[in-house]
């Protein structure tokens, strides 16, 4: 069980005195134990190490609080053992008797990375695109199962690999058969893995972790890309971006905009516009797709349905909505496309977009505005025809990345 972030700062800094009573951290877990070595990790932050079995046995003596002097003065161990224990203490496996261990884990490693791109450590990135999975789907019952979307998308993405030129080390990009031209040549991509989500914790805790990761990894020119998850995962990215520059939000989805009360701290698909437009740095929210019961009197909120966009002047109406928007965040729910074999969610096929329509919309948005962030959600691996849906979702993702970076 590994983590892509560096070791967290221990809850209690080592003291100079050998008389401080220490105890094994409550967050310490065993991954593997054999006759020669033990692999242990901290559930609180993911720090993982492999130590000799003898040192592991010595560590277990601190299951009962005791001072380091007990080891120093014991002729069986000597100075080397004390030094090894100090290292375990510095990494957080030994803590003060009364120390409080709080969870500081931010990320979990993904078994595979998107397109097999390089991994991104928990440090400022130099990549053009930084991908972050948010396996959260508790704000939308219709998206149940989307928490498995980030992992499933990464698995499917191994069919269209990221690769670099052997001579100059620059990314080769891909070939867009729809536009019949290369895309994303020279655009670097890195994958952070997934934000750590502890089941049952408050939504606000998950979102705060998303923002903390973005604050640590995003370079000045990096584009954050979130893999969801349900619609609500867009909110922490939008909140983080709008604090740095004024942005508009374009969401492409079929979920309805409700008129019900807005919870002050819990974000759902129906309240995402209100929460988002309540932020000082968000100037406009444009919803593309089916929007029944849309809250039209919400200042800054516009709706353009799929049928309206197909009509004469529909794309011009979108251009007018974005005419004063220099920077835009794009949120795409893959269910805005008609799924293979149809759907039974009550949304008419005409209210959804054809793939070619969505491809063109993303291109139009990227041509008029600078896309500064995006997410792809609504990916439910247990839904029927997932193999087709996943590849379509990945092509949509590449199209959106091209709209942002091939300017």
């Amino acid at each position: 069980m590994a983590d892509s972030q560096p070791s967290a700062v221990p809850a209690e800094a080592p003291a100079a005195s050998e008389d401080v009573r220490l105890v094994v951290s409550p967050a310490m877990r065993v991954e593997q134990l054999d006759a020669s070595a033990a692999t242990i990790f901290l559930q609180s932050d993911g720090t993982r190490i492999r130590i000799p079995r003898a040192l592991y046995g010595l560590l277990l003596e601190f299951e009962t609080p005791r001072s380091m002097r007990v080891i120093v003065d014991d002729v069986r161990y000597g100075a080397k053992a004390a030094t090894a224990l100090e290292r375990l203490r510095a990494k957080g496996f030994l803590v003060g008797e009364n120390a409080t261990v709080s969870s500081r884990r931010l990320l979990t490693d993904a078994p595979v990375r998107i397109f097999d791109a390089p991994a991104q450590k928990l440090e400022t990135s130099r990549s053009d695109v930084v991908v972050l999975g948010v396996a959260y789907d508790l704000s939308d019952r219709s998206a149940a199962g989307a928490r498995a979307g980030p992992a499933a998308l990464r698995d499917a993405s191994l069919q269209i690999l990221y690769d670099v030129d052997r001579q100059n080390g620059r990314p080769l990009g891909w070939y867009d058969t729809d536009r019949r031209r290369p895309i994303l040549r020279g655009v670097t991509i890195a994958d952070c893995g997934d934000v750590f989500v502890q089941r049952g914790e408050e939504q606000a805790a998950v979102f705060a972790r998303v923002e903390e990761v973005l604050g640590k990894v995003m370079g000045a020119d990096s584009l954050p890309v979130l893999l969801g998850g349900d619609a609500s995962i867009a909110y922490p990215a939008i909140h983080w971006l709008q604090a740095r520059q004024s942005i508009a939000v374009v969401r492409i989805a079929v979920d309805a905009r409700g008129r019900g009360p807005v919870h002050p701290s819990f974000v759902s698909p129906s309240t995402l516009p209100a929460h988002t437009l309540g932020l000082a740095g968000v100037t406009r929210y444009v919803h593309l797709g089916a929007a029944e019961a849309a809250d039209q009197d919400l200042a800054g909120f516009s709706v353009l349905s799929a049928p309206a966009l197909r009509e004469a002047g529909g794309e011009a109406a979108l251009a007018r909505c974005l005419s004063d928007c220099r920077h835009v965040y794009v949120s795409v729910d893959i269910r805005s496309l008609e799924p293979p074999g149809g759907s039974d969610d009550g949304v008419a096929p005409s209210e959804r977009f054809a793939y070619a329509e969505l491809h063109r919309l993303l291109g139009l948005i990227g041509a008029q505005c600078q896309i500064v962030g995006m997410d792809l959600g609504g990916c439910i691996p247990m839904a029927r025809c997932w193999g087709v849906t996943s590849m379509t979702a990945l092509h949509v993702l590449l199209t959106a990345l091209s709209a942002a970076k091939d300017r």
Side-chain angles (χ1 to χ4, degrees):
M1 182 173 181
D3 196 344
S4 51
Q5 74 177 95
S7 301
V9 176
E12 181 180 278
S17 173
E18 296 172 344
D19 295 324
V20 176
R21 287 166 60 86
L22 302 175
V23 68
V24 175
S25 170
M28 194 272 278
R29 298 291 185 271
V30 178
E31 181 179 299
Q32 187 177 18
L33 185 64
D34 56 39
S36 62
T39 302
I40 57 178
F41 66 94
L42 294 178
Q43 195 174 48
S44 57
D45 67 10
T47 300
R48 176 182 178 275
I49 59 172
R50 185 172 174 83
I51 59 176
R53 182 62 186 264
L55 180 56
Y56 177 69
L58 182 56
L59 175 63
L60 292 185
E61 292 195 20
F62 285 84
E63 288 188 322
T64 300
R66 62 186 59 202
S67 69
M68 192 77 73
R69 183 168 295 281
V70 173
I71 303 301
V72 173
D73 293 342
D74 194 321
V75 295
R76 295 177 300 165
Y77 302 119
K80 286 186 178 181
T83 300
L85 288 174
E86 281 292 356
R87 290 174 181 166
L88 290 175
R89 185 183 183 189
K91 289 182 176 293
F93 290 93
L94 282 173
V95 297
E97 181 180 13
N98 299 314
T100 299
V101 178
S102 59
S103 177
R104 293 297 305 142
R105 188 172 189 177
L106 295 178
L107 294 171
T108 58
D109 283 341
V112 297
R113 299 182 297 275
I114 194 77
F115 307 124
D116 201 29
Q120 172 61 49
K121 296 181 179 180
L122 197 61
E123 61 188 27
T124 303
S125 178
R126 292 181 293 178
S127 296
D128 300 311
V129 175
V130 178
V131 176
L132 176 64
V134 187
Y136 178 86
D137 61 4
L138 298 181
S139 75
D140 183 3
R141 286 180 293 179
S142 72
R147 71 181 67 177
L153 282 173
R154 289 187 177 103
D155 282 340
S157 75
L158 297 185
Q159 300 178 60
I160 42 178
L161 298 180
Y162 173 93
D163 203 359
V164 299
D165 188 287
R166 292 181 180 179
Q167 300 298 322
N168 58 30
R170 298 297 293 166
L172 296 173
W174 291 267
Y175 188 81
D176 187 336
T177 56
D178 296 294
R179 287 177 284 182
R180 298 184 181 181
R181 67 172 177 84
I183 61 171
L184 299 171
R185 280 189 174 175
V187 175
T188 53
I189 300 174
D191 190 340
C192 285
D194 291 343
V195 169
F196 178 69
V197 177
Q198 186 171 340
R199 301 307 172 198
E201 69 178 330
E202 296 286 340
Q203 184 191 69
V206 178
F207 288 1
R209 209 169 289 129
V210 173
E211 292 198 50
E212 186 170 352
V213 171
L214 292 177
K216 290 179 180 293
V217 304
M218 297 309 300
D221 299 318
S222 299
L223 176 78
V225 177
L226 273 56
L227 303 178
D230 64 33
S232 68
I233 68 151
Y235 183 77
I238 294 168
H239 187 272
W240 185 83
L241 285 165
Q242 63 84 37
R244 288 151 181 80
Q245 59 192 338
S246 295
I247 61 171
V249 176
V250 175
R251 176 154 170 79
I252 304 173
V254 294
D255 43 13
R257 312 289 93 193
R259 291 181 178 273
V262 177
H263 191 281
S265 60
F266 186 83
V267 181
S268 67
S270 62
T271 63
L272 182 60
H275 278 286
T276 299
L277 287 168
L279 300 173
V282 177
T283 59
R284 188 178 301 277
Y285 189 110
V286 182
H287 182 85
L288 306 181
E292 297 177 1
D295 195 355
Q296 298 282 8
D297 58 357
L298 185 62
F301 180 52
S302 304
V303 176
L304 289 170
S305 67
L309 286 164
R310 293 187 192 107
E311 295 174 356
E315 292 181 356
L318 173 59
R320 287 194 297 273
C321 285
L322 299 175
S323 61
D324 58 348
C325 303
R326 181 181 176 188
H327 302 112
V328 65
Y329 179 93
V330 177
S331 176
V332 180
D333 190 316
I334 198 59
R335 295 173 297 171
S336 60
L337 296 174
E338 182 64 16
S343 63
D344 55 3
D345 57 7
V347 179
S350 62
E351 292 285 352
R352 287 187 158 95
F353 296 102
Y355 172 76
E357 291 174 326
L358 184 52
H359 191 287
R360 179 168 174 78
L361 281 175
L362 290 169
L364 290 172
I365 295 168
Q368 181 164 341
C369 311
Q370 181 182 353
I371 298 175
V372 295
M374 66 177 70
D375 67 75
L376 175 64
C379 299
I380 305 174
M382 58 285 301
R384 58 187 175 184
C385 301
W386 168 247
V388 175
T389 301
S390 62
M391 291 307 298
T392 303
L394 290 167
H395 283 287
V396 168
L397 176 59
L398 289 175
T399 297
L401 291 177
S402 177
K405 290 298 184 179
D406 291 333
R407 294 175 60 83

Short mmCIF file of all heavy atoms in Angstrom, two decimals, residues 4-5 107 113 117-127 129-131 190-193 216-217:
data_model
loop_
_atom_site.label_atom_id
_atom_site.label_comp_id
_atom_site.label_asym_id
_atom_site.label_seq_id
_atom_site.Cartn_x
_atom_site.Cartn_y
_atom_site.Cartn_z
N SER A 4 1.90 8.31 -3.20
CA SER A 4 2.79 9.08 -4.06
C SER A 4 3.28 10.36 -3.43
O SER A 4 3.99 11.12 -4.05
CB SER A 4 2.08 9.39 -5.38
OG SER A 4 0.83 9.94 -5.14
N GLN A 5 2.86 10.64 -2.19
CA GLN A 5 3.34 11.84 -1.55
C GLN A 5 4.52 11.51 -0.63
O GLN A 5 4.67 10.39 -0.16
CB GLN A 5 2.22 12.50 -0.75
CG GLN A 5 1.87 11.76 0.54
CD GLN A 5 0.81 12.49 1.32
OE1 GLN A 5 -0.35 12.21 1.20
NE2 GLN A 5 1.24 13.42 2.12
N LEU A 107 -2.97 11.62 -0.98
CA LEU A 107 -3.09 10.89 -2.23
C LEU A 107 -2.94 9.39 -2.03
O LEU A 107 -2.31 8.94 -1.07
CB LEU A 107 -2.02 11.35 -3.23
CG LEU A 107 -2.09 12.78 -3.74
CD1 LEU A 107 -0.83 13.10 -4.53
CD2 LEU A 107 -3.32 12.99 -4.60
N ARG A 113 -1.45 4.61 -14.56
CA ARG A 113 -1.61 6.05 -14.76
C ARG A 113 -2.32 6.30 -16.08
O ARG A 113 -2.26 5.50 -17.01
CB ARG A 113 -0.25 6.74 -14.72
CG ARG A 113 0.48 6.57 -13.39
CD ARG A 113 1.81 7.30 -13.38
NE ARG A 113 2.73 6.78 -14.36
CZ ARG A 113 3.53 5.73 -14.16
NH1 ARG A 113 3.48 5.07 -13.01
NH2 ARG A 113 4.36 5.34 -15.10
N ALA A 117 1.08 7.77 -18.64
CA ALA A 117 1.91 8.97 -18.53
C ALA A 117 2.73 8.92 -17.24
O ALA A 117 2.44 8.11 -16.35
CB ALA A 117 1.02 10.22 -18.55
N PRO A 118 3.73 9.77 -17.09
CA PRO A 118 4.55 9.76 -15.87
C PRO A 118 3.73 10.09 -14.62
O PRO A 118 2.70 10.78 -14.69
CB PRO A 118 5.60 10.85 -16.15
CG PRO A 118 5.63 10.99 -17.62
CD PRO A 118 4.24 10.72 -18.10
N ALA A 119 4.22 9.62 -13.50
CA ALA A 119 3.61 9.95 -12.22
C ALA A 119 4.02 11.35 -11.78
O ALA A 119 5.13 11.79 -12.07
CB ALA A 119 4.02 8.93 -11.16
N GLN A 120 3.12 12.02 -11.07
CA GLN A 120 3.40 13.34 -10.53
C GLN A 120 3.55 13.24 -9.02
O GLN A 120 2.64 12.81 -8.33
CB GLN A 120 2.28 14.31 -10.87
CG GLN A 120 2.39 15.68 -10.20
CD GLN A 120 3.65 16.41 -10.60
OE1 GLN A 120 3.96 16.51 -11.78
NE2 GLN A 120 4.38 16.93 -9.63
N LYS A 121 4.70 13.63 -8.51
CA LYS A 121 4.90 13.65 -7.07
C LYS A 121 4.15 14.83 -6.45
O LYS A 121 3.69 15.73 -7.15
CB LYS A 121 6.39 13.74 -6.74
CG LYS A 121 7.19 12.53 -7.19
CD LYS A 121 8.66 12.70 -6.81
CE LYS A 121 9.47 11.48 -7.23
NZ LYS A 121 10.91 11.64 -6.88
N LEU A 122 4.08 14.82 -5.14
CA LEU A 122 3.38 15.89 -4.43
C LEU A 122 4.31 17.08 -4.30
O LEU A 122 4.76 17.45 -3.21
CB LEU A 122 2.91 15.41 -3.07
CG LEU A 122 1.83 16.26 -2.39
CD1 LEU A 122 0.57 16.31 -3.23
CD2 LEU A 122 1.52 15.73 -1.01
N GLU A 123 4.58 17.69 -5.44
CA GLU A 123 5.44 18.87 -5.53
C GLU A 123 5.06 19.63 -6.79
O GLU A 123 4.33 19.10 -7.64
CB GLU A 123 6.91 18.44 -5.58
CG GLU A 123 7.25 17.58 -6.78
CD GLU A 123 8.65 17.00 -6.72
OE1 GLU A 123 9.16 16.81 -5.59
OE2 GLU A 123 9.24 16.72 -7.77
N THR A 124 5.52 20.85 -6.91
CA THR A 124 5.14 21.68 -8.05
C THR A 124 5.50 21.00 -9.37
O THR A 124 6.64 20.59 -9.57
CB THR A 124 5.84 23.05 -7.97
OG1 THR A 124 5.49 23.67 -6.73
CG2 THR A 124 5.39 23.95 -9.11
N SER A 125 4.51 20.89 -10.24
CA SER A 125 4.70 20.18 -11.50
C SER A 125 5.24 21.11 -12.59
O SER A 125 4.93 22.30 -12.63
CB SER A 125 3.36 19.59 -11.96
OG SER A 125 3.50 18.94 -13.21
N ARG A 126 6.01 20.52 -13.48
CA ARG A 126 6.45 21.22 -14.68
C ARG A 126 5.69 20.72 -15.90
O ARG A 126 6.00 21.11 -17.03
CB ARG A 126 7.96 21.03 -14.87
CG ARG A 126 8.81 21.73 -13.81
CD ARG A 126 10.29 21.54 -14.05
NE ARG A 126 10.69 20.15 -13.87
CZ ARG A 126 11.93 19.71 -14.05
NH1 ARG A 126 12.88 20.56 -14.43
NH2 ARG A 126 12.23 18.45 -13.86
N SER A 127 4.70 19.87 -15.70
CA SER A 127 3.92 19.31 -16.81
C SER A 127 2.84 20.29 -17.25
O SER A 127 2.33 21.10 -16.45
CB SER A 127 3.28 17.99 -16.40
OG SER A 127 4.27 17.02 -16.12
N VAL A 129 -0.15 19.36 -18.30
CA VAL A 129 -1.42 18.82 -17.83
C VAL A 129 -1.16 17.95 -16.60
O VAL A 129 -0.27 17.09 -16.62
CB VAL A 129 -2.10 17.97 -18.92
CG1 VAL A 129 -3.38 17.31 -18.38
CG2 VAL A 129 -2.41 18.81 -20.15
N VAL A 130 -1.92 18.19 -15.53
CA VAL A 130 -1.80 17.39 -14.32
C VAL A 130 -3.16 16.75 -14.02
O VAL A 130 -4.16 17.46 -13.85
CB VAL A 130 -1.34 18.24 -13.12
CG1 VAL A 130 -1.27 17.37 -11.86
CG2 VAL A 130 0.01 18.88 -13.39
N VAL A 131 -3.20 15.43 -14.00
CA VAL A 131 -4.44 14.68 -13.81
C VAL A 131 -4.57 14.24 -12.36
O VAL A 131 -3.59 13.79 -11.75
CB VAL A 131 -4.46 13.44 -14.75
CG1 VAL A 131 -5.72 12.60 -14.50
CG2 VAL A 131 -4.40 13.89 -16.21
N ALA A 190 1.09 14.48 -16.64
CA ALA A 190 1.50 13.73 -15.45
C ALA A 190 0.26 13.38 -14.64
O ALA A 190 -0.74 14.10 -14.66
CB ALA A 190 2.49 14.53 -14.61
N ASP A 191 0.33 12.27 -13.92
CA ASP A 191 -0.82 11.76 -13.16
C ASP A 191 -0.47 11.70 -11.68
O ASP A 191 0.49 11.03 -11.28
CB ASP A 191 -1.19 10.36 -13.68
CG ASP A 191 -2.52 9.86 -13.12
OD1 ASP A 191 -2.96 10.36 -12.08
OD2 ASP A 191 -3.09 8.93 -13.74
N CYS A 192 -1.25 12.42 -10.86
CA CYS A 192 -1.02 12.46 -9.41
C CYS A 192 -1.51 11.21 -8.68
O CYS A 192 -1.15 11.00 -7.53
CB CYS A 192 -1.78 13.64 -8.80
SG CYS A 192 -1.05 15.23 -9.11
N GLY A 193 -2.38 10.42 -9.32
CA GLY A 193 -3.10 9.40 -8.59
C GLY A 193 -4.43 9.95 -8.12
O GLY A 193 -4.96 10.92 -8.68
N LYS A 216 -0.40 22.23 -4.03
CA LYS A 216 0.95 21.70 -3.94
C LYS A 216 1.54 21.33 -5.29
O LYS A 216 2.75 21.40 -5.49
CB LYS A 216 0.98 20.47 -3.02
CG LYS A 216 0.76 20.79 -1.54
CD LYS A 216 0.78 19.53 -0.71
CE LYS A 216 0.58 19.83 0.78
NZ LYS A 216 1.71 20.58 1.35
N VAL A 217 0.70 20.89 -6.25
CA VAL A 217 1.25 20.33 -7.48
C VAL A 217 1.13 21.22 -8.71
O VAL A 217 1.88 21.05 -9.67
CB VAL A 217 0.61 18.95 -7.81
CG1 VAL A 217 0.78 17.99 -6.66
CG2 VAL A 217 -0.87 19.10 -8.18
#
